[in-house]
Amino acid sequence: MAPIRAVFFDLDDTLCNYMEVARESRKEVFRNLAAERPELSADALYRAWKEEFKQMLPEVRPGGAWRSKYLVSGATTRTEVMRRVLARFGIEDQRLAARMSDEYNAGRLARLRLFPDAEEVLDKLSKRFPLGLITNGPADSQREEIAALGIRKWFPNIFIEGEFGVGKPDPAIFHAAAGSVRVRPEELLFVGNALEHDIRGARRAGLQTCWLTSEEVDPDEADYVADSLTEIAAWIDERTHAE
């Protein structure tokens, strides 16, 4: 195995608690709307959102009709999903859809928190390695998250799907990350939580991988599997001291 010369991270649910806060922020928006309009059910609105979001996914992927807009601005597709949700209940109101989208985004950003051990781990690793981020999502949304979390100081190298043009698991974004810190792909360690986009994508690109997960998984999918950033940092220490 090649020596580790740089460490890059995924963002959502690797460094911070994204899915949990996104879900709660959406539910809050639907509870607020149901309080304004008693004929609507917050639960029914949320079920409709899940269905519309699922239908929107192919439209924001490569080749999809909303792809170019999505890469630039998360607000565009967030608002469109909300518009489609409202239309299911016979409500055609673009301004309301935009308001709901904005409320959801604000609630999500306000709730985002780094995992408890993230700062200590990033401080420690940044003294020994070039660090970077590789994250999927719209350019503006991901930059907003980075600012809200206050993590820019650790990451001079940031690769965002919306800015780069392609995202994980495309090998191009992993290879560009390696090039940015002048290491070979096999000398770059990538830490992520998502099997297909993060771990398999990085491995296909020739990177080393740490899979952050608390689930029972196949350990052969990654070079190392752990349920905390602290454990991953300890593994990196052990690896690099033995080199």
Side-chain angles (χ1 to χ4, degrees):
M1 189 176 290
I4 297 170
R5 303 296 189 205
V7 183
F8 276 59
F9 292 81
D10 168 54
L11 177 57
D12 296 334
D13 291 315
T14 296
L15 295 175
C16 65
N17 57 338
Y18 179 81
M19 289 300 294
E20 174 189 342
V21 302
R23 183 168 52 249
E24 180 54 35
S25 298
R26 287 191 295 270
K27 288 183 176 181
E28 181 180 50
V29 169
F30 298 136
R31 287 195 299 266
N32 290 343
L33 182 60
E36 293 176 12
R37 303 191 179 206
E39 72 276 12
L40 298 176
S41 158
D43 289 342
L45 288 164
Y46 187 58
R47 288 193 297 271
W49 181 90
K50 288 194 287 187
E51 293 172 7
E52 292 297 343
F53 179 78
K54 184 177 180 180
Q55 291 182 25
M56 173 65 84
L57 282 177
E59 300 179 51
V60 301
R61 288 174 177 154
W66 286 81
R67 176 68 175 176
S68 60
K69 294 179 180 179
Y70 165 80
L71 290 178
V72 175
S73 173
T76 304
T77 46
R78 277 198 311 270
T79 301
E80 174 61 13
V81 173
M82 293 299 186
R83 185 198 67 77
R84 295 180 187 185
V85 169
L86 292 173
R88 281 178 172 244
F89 297 89
I91 301 170
E92 296 292 342
D93 190 333
Q94 186 69 22
R95 287 188 177 182
L96 177 58
R99 190 195 84 186
M100 293 166 65
S101 171
D102 289 345
E103 287 178 0
Y104 165 45
N105 190 48
R108 180 178 60 183
L109 291 173
R111 289 181 171 90
L112 279 178
R113 297 290 185 274
L114 289 173
F115 289 135
D117 56 351
E119 290 194 24
E120 181 178 353
V121 166
L122 294 174
D123 273 338
K124 182 177 181 179
L125 292 179
S126 66
K127 292 178 172 65
R128 301 181 57 207
F129 303 98
L131 300 186
L133 283 176
I134 307 176
T135 179
N136 284 2
D140 63 343
S141 297
Q142 297 307 103
R143 288 291 175 181
E144 286 175 343
E145 282 190 40
I146 290 166
L149 291 166
I151 58 175
R152 184 69 178 82
K153 61 185 177 182
W154 288 297
F155 297 110
N157 311 287
I158 296 176
F159 289 82
I160 298 172
E161 178 187 21
E163 296 174 352
F164 190 71
V166 298
K168 301 170 295 182
D170 194 305
I173 199 166
F174 292 109
H175 290 161
S180 72
V181 289
R182 299 182 180 180
V183 302
R184 293 175 293 146
E186 60 267 30
E187 297 173 326
L188 178 58
L189 174 68
F190 187 66
V191 180
N193 72 293
L195 176 58
E196 185 59 35
H197 283 78
D198 294 339
I199 305 308
R200 289 177 176 167
R203 294 194 100 179
R204 285 194 292 266
L207 279 62
Q208 299 181 52
T209 56
C210 279
W211 188 3
L212 181 67
T213 178
S214 58
E215 299 177 2
E216 291 289 332
V217 298
D218 181 356
D220 292 333
E221 288 279 8
D223 295 294
Y224 189 65
V225 178
D227 63 4
S228 74
L229 294 169
T230 298
E231 188 179 347
I232 287 172
W235 177 81
I236 294 171
D237 276 347
E238 183 180 346
R239 269 283 317 278
T240 53
H241 287 152
E243 289 167 357

